Amino acid sequence: MKKNIYIIRFLLISLIALVMACSPQTVQSQRKKKKGKTEEVKPKPEWVLAKPISSSYYIGIGFSSNKIPNYQQAAKSNALEDLLSEIKVNISSTSVLYQMDKKNSFKDEYESVVRNTIKNEIEDFEIVDSYENAQEAGYWVYYRLSKSKYAEQKRKKLENATAIALDFFQKAEEAEKQAQVVTAIDFYTKTILALKDYWTETVSTQKDGKIVMLSNESYTRIQQLLDNIKFATPSANVQLKKQTSQAPVVNFKLSYLKTPQANMPILAKYIRNKQSYSTTENGELSILLDKIAGVRNSFTLDVSLELNKIIVGNTEDKFLKFLLSSFRAPAQTITIYLAKPTLYLIAEEKNLGDTQKSKILANQLKGTLANKGYVFVSSKEKAEVILELDADTRKGVENNGIFFAYLTANVKAIDAKTEQEIFNESISDVKGAQSSFQRAGINAYQKATKEVEEAIVQKLIEVL
């Protein structure tokens, strides 16, 4: 009887050993030998084969080849990125970003920046497990973050940001009541930026017994302030006398709801020039047009509020850059018409020292300028610019009955208002040849008409 019991026990033990030897786990653990030693390979966990889904946690699975340096850190970084991808950034139709970004030009960039912010500030995420497989040269990491803990962290952060934003908002309101536009815009901007991590959400708070969406309201009020800033000018089209010794000036007055605005930064652009200005205590502004040489008839002057000098901050801040670009800044374009100055010509032309009745060069100068639209008046008192032309010839030599003479001429322009010389140009040694010195002098005058037009008149027009 006892002998039978021993036989039965032996058979059972043998059967169990056989079953265990044939199991998948045992087979996997008895892998090929490497350098005379057996390597054990753990079976892949379920979370490696398929990413878990949880209603309580954000989950991130990260992988890295274990053949690269710092592969464990690389896998952890990938796991964190995967976890962050589960935290969605959805734009509410009542959010300030929806209000600002009508063309969805900033949405993707905003999500990227916010995700990096979350990555740097996220707390309480934990490593659940890791797995390494030498045969597949791979390393996996399993991260998770409690959704309830993350929501609580976000709530506290939003609460602090809202308290700061509310303080800025109240200061902005006080400045707006006193028509201190620059200060009001600055504080409304600070309100929006204090809540920049929540631009996609509807963020509201209690103020004076009312529910206020601070970001939305601040954005709307900034635009309203800007829309009520006006440039006052005599006309949208300004006609100026192009002063020759003094640059012309265009005057503006800047006001908000009829209240003059002091120290407002203004950018003026005309032709290829750009200049920054600031309004006076009375809100006045004088634009000096000091680089308009070569302009013939008209040009435009564009003036605009330099919003980037009112809304200041970190120039690398993408949120600030986008906020600035989303506003309509007050601006005005004025067409400047340049009226040609009236001219009076005084001419003395001599031939070999003798005054000539016929003014060859004077007639050429006057006719060319008249064709360009310049008006000559009958007296110096009526003129804005006085032209003085002096010319004379001298004898050259005589060669086989051919006589030579040489002409020198000078043209000056004088600003009648300031009596300052604004132009002075000469031509010299224009050679004439004829049967007598006197006729050679006349011939030199005739040849000089072309040089007067090419060498003098064109330069004079640029000044006038």
Side-chain angles (χ1 to χ4, degrees):
M1 184 70 179
K2 287 184 178 180
K3 185 178 179 180
N4 291 336
I5 292 173
Y6 288 134
I7 293 172
I8 291 170
R9 284 181 178 175
F10 175 77
L11 291 173
L12 286 172
I13 291 171
S14 299
L15 182 60
I16 291 170
L18 180 62
V19 170
M20 291 182 66
C22 294
S23 67
Q25 289 82 1
T26 304
V27 172
Q28 286 183 349
S29 65
Q30 296 174 348
R31 292 291 180 178
K32 61 184 179 179
K33 294 181 179 180
K34 185 178 181 182
K35 293 183 180 180
K37 295 182 180 180
T38 301
E39 278 189 6
E40 284 194 10
V41 179
K42 295 180 181 180
K44 285 185 179 180
E46 290 296 326
W47 60 267
V48 172
L49 299 173
K51 183 177 178 179
I53 298 173
S54 173
S55 60
S56 302
Y57 293 94
Y58 296 114
I59 292 173
I61 306 298
F63 167 79
S64 175
S65 168
N66 57 15
K67 292 183 178 181
I68 66 171
N70 301 317
Y71 67 89
Q72 291 181 333
Q73 188 58 46
K76 289 177 181 179
S77 178
N78 292 334
L80 184 56
E81 289 293 339
D82 188 44
L83 185 151
L84 290 171
S85 69
E86 292 199 351
I87 303 175
K88 301 299 182 183
V89 180
N90 297 314
I91 301 179
S92 167
S93 61
T94 57
S95 68
V96 71
L97 184 61
Y98 186 86
Q99 184 178 357
M100 289 189 286
D101 194 19
K102 297 295 186 184
K103 298 180 180 179
N104 288 327
S105 60
F106 189 61
K107 177 180 177 291
D108 292 340
E109 193 165 8
Y110 177 85
E111 289 180 2
S112 175
V113 174
V114 168
R115 187 163 281 116
N116 284 332
T117 301
I118 295 172
K119 183 178 179 180
N120 294 329
E121 297 179 355
I122 199 170
E123 299 172 0
D124 298 327
F125 67 90
E126 56 184 314
I127 181 168
V128 178
D129 197 3
S130 64
Y131 171 74
E132 187 167 4
N133 187 315
Q135 281 186 299
E136 296 183 25
Y139 180 76
W140 289 261
V141 176
Y142 179 176
Y143 274 173
R144 74 180 184 182
L145 171 67
S146 169
K147 291 183 179 180
S148 60
K149 286 185 177 180
Y150 174 72
E152 179 61 17
Q153 176 191 339
K154 183 178 176 181
R155 185 193 65 78
K156 289 180 179 179
K157 185 184 172 186
L158 174 58
E159 195 174 80
N160 292 334
T162 302
I164 294 170
L166 181 59
D167 181 57
F168 287 141
F169 185 81
Q170 290 170 332
K171 290 177 180 177
E173 281 191 317
E174 287 301 315
E176 184 178 358
K177 288 176 184 177
Q178 298 173 29
Q180 297 174 357
V181 176
V182 172
T183 304
I185 290 176
D186 180 46
F187 278 120
Y188 280 133
T189 302
K190 285 182 168 66
T191 303
I192 299 170
L193 293 177
L195 296 166
K196 65 183 181 181
D197 291 342
Y198 313 97
W199 280 3
T200 60
E201 304 173 32
T202 303
V203 179
S204 59
T205 189
Q206 284 272 353
K207 182 183 180 297
D208 300 329
K210 297 180 180 179
I211 299 294
V212 179
M213 292 190 291
L214 294 176
S215 295
N216 302 60
E217 187 65 24
S218 295
Y219 185 83
T220 299
R221 293 195 186 187
I222 289 174
Q223 191 58 70
Q224 288 174 344
L225 285 167
L226 294 174
D227 289 343
N228 283 308
I229 295 174
K230 303 298 181 185
F231 288 95
T233 56
S235 171
N237 299 321
V238 177
Q239 182 162 308
L240 297 173
K241 291 289 186 180
K242 184 179 175 184
Q243 299 298 325
T244 47
S245 60
Q246 295 179 335
V249 172
V250 179
N251 296 311
F252 295 87
K253 190 164 187 177
L254 206 65
S255 61
Y256 167 74
L257 297 178
K258 299 183 180 180
T259 301
Q261 293 298 303
N263 304 314
M264 277 288 203
I266 304 298
L267 181 66
K269 293 188 289 185
Y270 60 96
I271 312 173
R272 291 175 296 277
N273 306 300
K274 186 185 294 186
Q275 182 73 40
S276 292
Y277 293 85
S278 184
T279 57
T280 66
E281 290 300 317
N282 296 323
E284 296 174 346
L285 178 69
S286 295
I287 306 295
L288 185 68
L289 307 175
D290 59 349
K291 296 177 181 178
I292 56 176
V295 178
R296 301 300 170 86
N297 299 313
S298 66
F299 62 92
T300 57
L301 168 63
D302 298 304
V303 289
S304 60
L305 187 67
E306 287 193 277
L307 203 53
N308 62 323
K309 291 187 177 179
I310 295 177
I311 300 177
V312 295
N314 181 2
T315 55
E316 299 303 315
D317 189 335
K318 294 181 179 180
F319 293 97
L320 181 62
K321 286 182 177 179
F322 175 72
L323 184 61
L324 278 169
S325 66
S326 70
F327 288 118
R328 295 185 308 275
Q332 187 165 351
T333 297
I334 294 176
T335 302
I336 308 293
Y337 293 97
L338 295 176
K340 294 177 172 62
T342 54
L343 307 177
Y344 181 76
L345 176 61
I346 301 172
E348 185 174 23
E349 298 182 16
K350 295 180 180 180
N351 186 15
L352 305 177
D354 296 329
T355 301
Q356 300 295 299
K357 291 182 179 180
S358 175
K359 309 290 190 204
I360 296 175
L361 297 185
N363 291 337
Q364 177 68 27
L365 178 63
K366 197 169 183 178
T368 302
L369 289 173
N371 288 335
K372 298 291 184 181
Y374 290 89
V375 176
F376 285 83
V377 292
S378 58
S379 67
K380 292 173 62 176
E381 291 73 25
K382 296 178 181 179
E384 292 167 309
V385 175
I386 298 169
L387 302 179
E388 294 181 356
L389 185 153
D390 291 297
D392 199 355
T393 59
R394 60 180 175 82
K395 291 180 180 180
V397 296
E398 180 266 336
N399 187 1
N400 294 322
I402 303 297
F403 295 83
F404 296 91
Y406 297 89
L407 177 141
T408 298
N410 174 261
V411 176
K412 294 180 182 179
I414 299 169
D415 188 326
K417 185 176 181 180
T418 63
E419 298 183 351
Q420 291 183 3
E421 183 181 290
I422 58 172
F423 179 83
N424 191 323
E425 194 73 25
S426 298
I427 56 174
S428 60
D429 294 332
V430 179
K431 184 169 68 173
Q434 255 298 348
S435 58
S436 68
F437 283 120
Q438 187 175 19
R439 289 179 179 178
I442 298 299
N443 182 248
Y445 266 100
Q446 292 169 342
K447 289 182 178 180
T449 56
K450 185 176 181 181
E451 290 199 33
V452 166
E453 183 170 349
E454 293 179 352
I456 293 180
V457 174
Q458 295 304 320
K459 293 180 181 180
L460 178 61
I461 288 174
E462 290 183 6
V463 174
L464 296 179

